[in-house]
């Protein structure tokens, strides 16, 4: 289940898991908040397990006042956490600690403390890291929006020193959620860590993602990362510049009101050190102001406004484009377009 | 190995009952059955329809993809709430639902209370639940001082002996938990309750932050954890509000790489998070995202006067272009990324950016009324609390940040850079309220929420009193 408002907050997975929220609403309504859930059939306990006989669990003492936002943990969770605190206090790293952390993660995958302690235990015990990945795969699929799992995976794959198999796994994850922020960030880390910037496979895969949904901005960002970002934000080869311009144009022709490739094409022109007017004729295909009833993209108008603003004697054209945006083609942003118009006047007065 | 306990006696456990209820999954807000015929529209509904038509982008591509399909579905879910009043809320003089303050207060008070066992997944995030609850309540004008003792107690359990806060007793310290804990504590503190301020072990906290500072200038979220722009914002927030020394502790690993201050290379690192489309990402190379944009702007507004720092580290014209593009039409609320869906939490993450940005550039860059319309008409849940979008359930997170976004739409602030003091990270204490946005055609005074500090997202007085308390106190 997606979780970790902790990590999630201020970050990609802002949305608390739907089922949990529903649960909250339902429970608040039916006032069963005081319930302590009985253990399920397959609950695991340690107190009567001889293998744990030498450990005295450190129970949580909420002493004094009742804490805010306190959770009525199951006995199973409370007990497992008590044993975890005890082994952490003793700095124990062992097979049984790995089993204990796995157990707690199954109950609360957003528990960063447990993940971090598990990572250390894997290092200290010299555990088989390939096996760890094999265990992580289904766990990650169950908890799509979890931060900790991805950071953990990064630690393990870094130690393994090979990206083998990761591309396939990521593809499986993105089938469930094609814009998952953690997955894409992890992919960028992989590219960086294993220097896959020039990999044909990586670029082809990214193209397939864009082909699948030309509005997937995460995929566009990844393409940028591969082609430009990994090279210090510069795009020097004329062949590459041409290829990227053509690629973005092809995408724009499919759906001209899609902002992702427009942002991309502007970025390419800038990274190549070319003037924005390089793509003016292309933008005119979608927004010829002489025929305002045949405008097919507000983003083309936006781009043309910038081209005209930079051009000599074309300030009036720029104003006209911005007026069209404010009054007709993108009125919710009228204040912004008017602000751009005001900047033109400032620039005009300064000239 | 560990053993299993025998089966519980009851056949139908509460968890099974819960599942039964939950599996009926689209328990969404149901619309009234009556299909309004056009001739039945009230003048107010007609006005809403005309408004929506006026802010619609008239160009729609016929080429369909997954993104366009989910956008179409979203619009279908949102529009009835912008056109009419399916929740039957009392309307204000503009025909917009009043802010349901009492219901939201009730909801947030419950959110500060007890949670059943399935919420173990929130264990590490409990400090957030407290912060969202307290901040949401104070935005609604509710006096949160009754929580003071329980706040101290809650966080005394979650304070890690070596410094910083975790989710609960025995958790490792984490920067996000520390941020939420510190904000919660200072929100309920006053100069005459020093015990509340003093419950924070500042010296150990300073050492903990020293462990997180990275050689490239950024911050890890926890020791051995990920480095991202939340780290920069959370660390600077805590350093500034608690008036901690800016020099790195002697045991800070980054010292080995020649860094001596928490602020070394930080602005440059934040600048590297600006992506090619102008937005701000979690870390260099990642996709631009609204919440990270707020973190980046907030961090720079702590590092120095925004008039200087924003322009120094960001290309502001591209950032403003990107922020502006986040406002969804005709929904009026914000999305977090290009081609994603409107979500009430971005009312703050993106809406809250404008005060910082406008201070840098100019006023009136965004559509305040459209955002307020989304919050009041589409994001209020019938029984209290605010939501991502109609059909979703409310939670403390969306309640807190929808309200913060509404506040951002309603109030103006100015920053006086001339007043900068001698102490470090002093810039965020020179914001002052500059009146209310008066031209609204959406809300009335009864729908106003409190002013919120544009950088720290807490009441103004909580920020200045904390800073003053710790500045007067001096040493660690």
């Amino acid at each position: 289940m997606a979780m970790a408002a902790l990590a999630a907050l201020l970050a990609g997975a802002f949305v608390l898991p739907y089922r949990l929220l529903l649960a909250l609403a339902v429970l608040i309504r039916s006032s069963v908040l005081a319930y302590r859930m009985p253990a399920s059939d397959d609950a695991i306990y340690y107190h009567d397990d001889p293998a744990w006989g030498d450990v005295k669990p450190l129970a949580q003492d909420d002493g004094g006042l009742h804490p805010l936002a306190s959770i009525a943990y199951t006995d199973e969770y409370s007990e497992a956490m008590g044993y975890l605190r005890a082994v952490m206090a003793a700095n124990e790293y062992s097979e049984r600690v790995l089993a204990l952390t796995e157990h707690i993660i199954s109950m609360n995958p957003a528990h960063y403390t447990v993940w971090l302690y598990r990572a250390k235990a894997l290092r200290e015990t010299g555990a088989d890291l390939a096996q760890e990945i094999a265990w992580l795969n289904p766990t990650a699929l169950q908890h799509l929006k979890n931060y900790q799992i991805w950071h953990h995976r990064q630690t393990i794959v870094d130690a393994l020193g090979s990206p083998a198999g990761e591309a396939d796994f990521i593809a499986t994850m993105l089938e469930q959620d094609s814009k998952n922020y953690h997955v894409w960030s992890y992919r960028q880390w992989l590219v960086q860590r294993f220097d896959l910037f020039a990999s044909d496979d990586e670029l082809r895969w990214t193209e397939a993602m864009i082909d699948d949904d030309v509005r997937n901005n995460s995929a566009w960002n990844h393409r940028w990362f591969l082609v430009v970002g990994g090279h210090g934000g510069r795009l020097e080869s004329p062949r590459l510049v041409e290829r990227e311009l053509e690629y973005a144009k092809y995408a724009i022709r499919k759906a001209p009101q899609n902002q992702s490739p427009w942002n991309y094409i502007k970025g390419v022109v800038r990274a190549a050190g070319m003037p924005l007017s390089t793509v003016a004729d292309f933008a005119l295909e979608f927004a010829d102001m002489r025929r305002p009833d045949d405008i097919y993209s507000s983003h083309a108008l936006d781009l043309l406004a910038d081209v005209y603003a930079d051009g000599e004697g074309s300030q009036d054209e720029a104003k006209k484009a911005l007026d069209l945006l404010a009054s007709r083609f993108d009125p919710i942003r009228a204040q912004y377009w008017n602000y751009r118009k005001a900047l033109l006047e400032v620039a005009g007065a300064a000239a | 190995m560990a053993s299993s306990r025998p089966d519980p006696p009851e056949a139908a456990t509460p968890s099974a009952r819960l599942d039964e209820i939950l599996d009926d999954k689209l328990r969404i807000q149901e619309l009234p059955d009556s299909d309004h015929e056009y001739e039945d529209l009230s003048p107010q509904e007609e006005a809403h329809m005309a408004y929506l038509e006026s802010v619609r982008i008239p160009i729609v591509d016929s080429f369909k993809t997954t993104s366009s399909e989910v956008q179409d579905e979203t619009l279908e879910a949102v529009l009835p709430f912008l056109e009419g009043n399916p929740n039957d809320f009392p309307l204000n003089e503009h025909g917009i639902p009043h802010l349901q303050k009492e219901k939201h207060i009730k909801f947030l008070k419950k959110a500060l209370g007890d949670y059943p066992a399935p919420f173990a997944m929130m264990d590490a995030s409990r400090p957030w639940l407290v912060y969202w609850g307290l901040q949401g309540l104070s935005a609604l004008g509710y006096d949160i001082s009754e929580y003071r003792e329980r706040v101290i107690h809650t966080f005394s359990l979650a304070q890690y002996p070596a410094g910083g806060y975790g989710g609960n007793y025995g958790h490792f310290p984490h920067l996000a938990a520390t941020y939420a804990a510190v904000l919660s504590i200072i929100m309920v503190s006053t100069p005459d309750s020093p015990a509340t301020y003093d419950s924070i072990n500042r010296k150990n906290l300073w050492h903990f932050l020293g462990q997180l500072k990275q050689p490239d200038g950024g911050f890890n979220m926890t020791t051995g954890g990920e480095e991202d722009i939340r780290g920069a914002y959370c660390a600077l927030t805590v350093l500034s509000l608690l008036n901690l020394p800016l020099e790195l502790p002697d045991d800070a690993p980054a010292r080995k790489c020649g860094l001596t201050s928490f602020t070394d290379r930080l602005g440059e690192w934040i600048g590297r998070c600006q992506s090619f489309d102008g937005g701000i990402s979690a870390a260099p190379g990642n996709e631009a995202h609204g919440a990270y944009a707020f973190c980046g702007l907030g961090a720079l507004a702590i590092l120095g006067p925004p008039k200087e720092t924003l322009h120094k580290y960001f290309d502001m014209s591209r950032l403003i272009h990107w922020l502006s593009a986040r406002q969804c039409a005709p929904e009026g609320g914000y999305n977090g990324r290009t081609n994603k869906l409107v979500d009430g939490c971005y009312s703050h993450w993106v809406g809250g950016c404008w005060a910082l940005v406008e201070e840098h550039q100019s006023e009136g860059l965004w559509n305040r009324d459209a955002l307020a319309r989304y919050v009041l008409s589409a994001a209020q849940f019938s029984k209290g609390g605010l939501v991502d979008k109609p059909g979703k359930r409310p939670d403390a997170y969306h309640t807190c940040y929808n309200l913060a976004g509404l506040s951002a739409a309603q109030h103006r602030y100015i920053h006086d850079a001339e007043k900068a003091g001698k102490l470090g990270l002093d810039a965020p204490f020179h914001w002052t309220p500059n009146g209310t946005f008066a031209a609204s055609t959406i809300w009335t005074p009864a729908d106003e929420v409190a002013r919120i500090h544009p950088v720290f997202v807490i009441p103004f007085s909580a920020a200045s009193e904390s800073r003053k308390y710790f500045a007067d106190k001096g040493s660690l």
Side-chain angles (χ1 to χ4, degrees):
Chain A
M1 174 153 300
M3 218 349 16
L6 157 49
L9 166 73
L10 294 180
F14 290 72
V15 186
L16 301 178
Y18 182 64
R19 279 172 63 94
L20 269 187
L21 301 178
L22 205 57
L24 175 62
V26 168
L27 286 166
I28 284 180
R29 225 178 23 228
S30 53
S31 330
V32 293
L33 280 173
Y35 261 130
R36 182 169 276 255
M37 301 286 246
S40 59
D41 295 358
D42 49 358
I44 298 171
Y45 289 95
Y46 301 90
H47 60 273
D48 54 356
D49 184 343
W52 287 89
D54 60 316
V55 177
K56 191 175 177 323
L58 275 177
Q60 174 162 339
D61 177 10
D62 282 348
L65 292 163
H66 189 61
L68 294 167
S70 54
I71 300 166
Y73 307 117
T74 58
D75 292 340
E76 183 186 10
Y77 184 81
S78 290
E79 189 186 281
M81 281 303 296
Y83 279 85
L84 180 78
R85 283 187 286 263
V87 295
M88 281 174 64
N91 285 314
E92 179 184 324
Y93 302 102
S94 61
E95 284 294 323
R96 70 177 181 185
V97 164
L98 289 175
L100 175 64
T101 55
E102 184 175 334
H103 178 208
I104 297 174
I105 285 165
S106 75
M107 294 183 282
N108 178 8
H111 207 318
Y112 62 88
T113 302
V114 185
W115 283 106
L116 290 169
Y117 198 70
R118 180 178 178 84
K120 185 138 191 233
L122 289 167
R123 278 198 300 277
E124 298 284 332
T125 59
D128 178 356
L129 297 181
Q131 212 181 318
E132 179 72 359
I133 292 290
W135 169 72
L136 270 179
N137 287 354
T139 310
L141 277 167
Q142 263 170 33
H143 307 291
L144 285 176
K145 293 208 169 170
N146 177 294
Y147 254 65
Q148 286 73 25
I149 271 179
W150 292 98
H151 182 68
H152 186 71
R153 191 176 191 96
Q154 190 171 314
T155 311
I156 304 299
V157 170
D158 188 32
L160 276 169
S162 159
E166 290 306 279
D168 287 346
F169 177 69
I170 287 172
T172 318
M173 288 293 292
L174 292 178
E175 273 169 30
Q176 316 288 316
D177 178 6
S178 64
K179 299 178 180 179
N180 187 303
Y181 201 87
H182 308 303
V183 179
W184 284 102
S185 301
Y186 175 67
R187 184 95 184 193
Q188 277 130 32
W189 174 82
L190 273 180
V191 168
Q192 186 101 46
R193 167 69 177 79
F194 298 104
D195 194 15
L196 306 174
F197 289 106
S199 152
D200 284 342
D201 285 351
E202 190 69 18
L203 190 64
R204 267 200 300 272
W205 172 78
T206 310
E207 285 189 11
M209 291 301 295
I210 295 175
D211 208 38
D212 198 42
D213 182 350
V214 74
R215 298 180 178 93
N216 186 340
N217 195 62
S218 306
W220 282 98
N221 181 70
H222 196 65
R223 184 179 179 99
W224 178 272
F225 182 69
L226 293 179
V227 179
V228 192
H231 305 277
R234 296 237 147 270
L235 197 55
E236 271 149 5
S237 138
R239 186 188 61 81
L240 275 188
V241 172
E242 189 56 27
R243 186 189 75 184
E244 294 308 300
L245 290 178
E246 285 310 311
Y247 187 79
K249 287 177 182 176
Y250 173 73
I252 288 170
R253 289 199 169 99
K254 281 189 187 174
Q257 190 54 28
N258 170 16
Q259 193 167 25
S260 295
W262 285 106
N263 283 339
Y264 194 84
I265 208 167
K266 284 197 279 187
V268 167
V269 167
R270 194 177 57 249
M274 302 190 301
L276 193 57
S277 56
T278 310
V279 289
D281 283 344
F282 174 72
L284 276 170
E285 290 180 29
F286 306 94
D288 185 342
M289 290 194 294
R290 287 167 305 184
R291 290 180 283 114
D293 290 335
D294 292 325
I295 283 180
Y296 301 102
S297 173
S298 68
H299 308 303
L301 265 183
D302 176 8
L303 186 150
L304 285 169
D306 272 338
V307 171
Y308 295 139
D310 291 343
E312 246 175 77
S314 54
Q315 310 295 302
D316 285 347
E317 293 295 286
K319 261 186 219 166
K320 202 172 148 194
L322 293 166
D323 278 336
L324 277 173
L325 285 162
S327 63
R328 184 164 170 190
F329 291 101
D330 193 19
I332 206 156
R333 268 166 282 283
Q335 277 106 322
Y336 170 71
W337 304 121
N338 289 334
Y339 153 76
R340 288 254 298 262
K341 247 171 64 180
L343 289 183
L344 285 175
E345 277 150 27
V346 174
Chain B
M1 251 336 281
S3 67
S4 289
R5 257 185 196 176
D7 291 349
E10 309 94 309
T13 64
S15 68
R17 283 222 321 270
L18 189 60
D19 275 342
E20 215 176 275
I21 301 167
L22 295 183
D23 277 345
D24 183 10
K25 93 176 182 207
L26 290 177
R27 186 167 287 273
I28 56 173
Q29 283 172 287
E30 281 159 28
L31 301 180
D33 292 333
S34 60
D35 269 355
H36 289 292
E37 299 294 330
Y38 276 91
E39 55 266 32
D40 290 346
L41 290 180
S42 70
Q44 265 163 350
E45 284 171 322
E46 270 174 29
H48 294 329
M49 305 280 263
Y51 161 79
L52 289 165
E53 184 56 26
S54 77
V55 294
R56 202 169 57 85
I57 295 176
I59 304 164
V60 180
D61 290 328
S62 54
F63 187 78
K64 293 289 172 202
T65 63
T66 309
S67 291
S68 64
E69 281 163 10
V70 294
Q71 170 59 31
D72 291 347
E73 288 162 18
T74 298
L75 201 52
E76 212 172 297
V78 172
L79 278 180
F81 289 81
L82 296 174
E83 291 166 350
N85 180 21
N87 289 320
D88 287 328
F89 287 137
L91 301 178
N92 67 22
E93 67 196 55
H94 307 298
I96 300 288
H98 272 299
L99 182 64
Q100 301 299 300
K101 291 185 180 176
E102 291 312 315
K103 285 183 177 178
H104 302 324
I105 287 171
K106 212 171 134 194
F107 178 85
L108 288 168
K109 289 176 81 168
K110 280 198 169 137
L112 285 165
D114 293 349
Y115 290 82
F119 280 79
M121 292 199 190
M122 300 290 291
D123 203 11
S125 310
R126 289 180 52 253
W128 281 121
L129 294 172
V130 176
Y131 164 70
W132 296 327
L134 294 176
Q135 169 51 32
L137 284 174
S138 62
L140 291 165
Y142 185 85
D143 178 3
I144 56 173
S145 61
E146 69 187 63
Y147 291 107
R148 185 176 300 139
E149 280 70 33
R150 288 179 67 199
V151 169
I152 305 180
H153 178 63
T154 302
F155 291 113
S156 69
L157 297 170
Q159 186 160 219
Y160 197 69
Y165 292 85
N168 204 340
Y169 170 64
H171 294 201
F172 285 143
H174 192 285
L175 205 33
T178 300
Y179 166 89
V182 166
L183 293 187
S184 301
I185 292 168
I186 68 169
M187 265 195 281
V188 294
S189 300
T190 58
D192 54 359
S193 68
T196 324
Y197 288 126
D198 291 336
S199 71
I200 303 170
N201 186 330
R202 286 162 74 230
K203 186 168 185 183
N204 288 359
L205 177 49
W206 179 64
H207 279 279
F208 165 61
L209 294 175
Q211 296 299 311
L212 305 179
K213 177 73 178 178
Q214 296 302 298
D216 64 9
F219 286 83
N220 278 4
M221 292 305 289
T222 180
T223 311
E226 65 277 12
E227 180 187 34
D228 63 45
I229 203 165
R230 294 172 304 158
Y233 172 63
C234 293
L236 285 175
T237 294
V238 170
L239 286 164
S240 174
L241 285 169
L242 302 184
N243 194 37
L244 295 173
L246 288 187
E247 64 178 52
L248 288 168
D250 285 341
D251 58 354
R255 276 198 176 268
K256 294 196 190 90
C257 302
L259 278 68
T260 57
S261 162
F262 279 111
T263 59
D264 285 350
R265 302 179 191 165
L266 183 53
E268 289 78 7
W269 188 88
I270 294 169
R272 287 174 53 216
C273 294
Q274 183 163 31
S275 69
F276 71 93
D277 54 12
I280 314 296
S281 59
N286 296 158
E287 186 185 4
H289 188 294
Y292 298 123
F294 182 81
C295 291
L297 287 165
L300 290 183
I302 299 172
L303 211 49
K307 280 190 183 72
E308 293 168 22
T309 53
L310 267 49
H311 180 67
K312 185 170 173 190
Y313 297 111
F314 286 151
D315 177 331
M316 287 308 292
S317 75
R318 284 195 291 128
L319 176 53
I320 290 171
H321 181 269
W322 183 87
L323 287 170
S324 173
R326 301 280 59 75
Q327 194 153 23
C328 298
E331 299 95 311
Y334 283 98
N335 65 14
R337 298 186 251 164
T338 303
N339 287 330
K340 292 273 284 176
L341 307 171
V342 67
D343 178 340
C345 73
Y346 298 111
S347 306
H348 164 69
W349 295 124
V350 181
C353 286
W354 292 113
L356 309 176
V357 164
E358 288 181 338
E359 182 51 39
H360 160 83
Q361 204 97 16
S362 86
E363 269 201 57
L365 293 173
W366 61 300
N367 197 330
R368 292 164 180 259
D369 268 0
L371 175 66
R373 185 187 283 262
Y374 181 79
V375 173
L376 292 171
S377 298
Q380 298 196 87
F381 188 65
S382 55
K383 298 189 171 73
L386 290 99
V387 298
D388 161 348
K389 56 177 73 67
K392 302 275 186 176
R393 287 277 162 179
D395 55 64
Y397 168 76
H398 285 93
T399 304
C400 172
Y401 290 125
N402 264 304
L403 292 173
L406 183 58
S407 173
Q410 293 172 336
H411 300 287
R412 296 175 189 277
Y413 307 98
I414 47 169
H415 187 260
D416 186 351
E418 303 302 311
K419 279 194 190 147
K422 287 199 189 91
L423 295 171
L425 304 184
D426 173 67
F429 300 97
H430 302 296
W431 289 90
T432 44
N434 188 32
T436 300
F437 181 70
S440 175
T441 56
I442 298 299
W443 69 83
T444 62
D447 310 314
E448 273 179 32
V449 288
R451 293 186 193 103
I452 294 174
H453 193 286
V455 177
F456 296 126
V457 202
I458 52 175
F460 267 82
S461 58
S464 56
E465 284 170 8
S466 172
R467 175 74 171 195
K468 184 173 185 313
Y469 180 83
F470 291 113
D472 290 349
K473 194 176 164 84
S475 67
L476 284 174

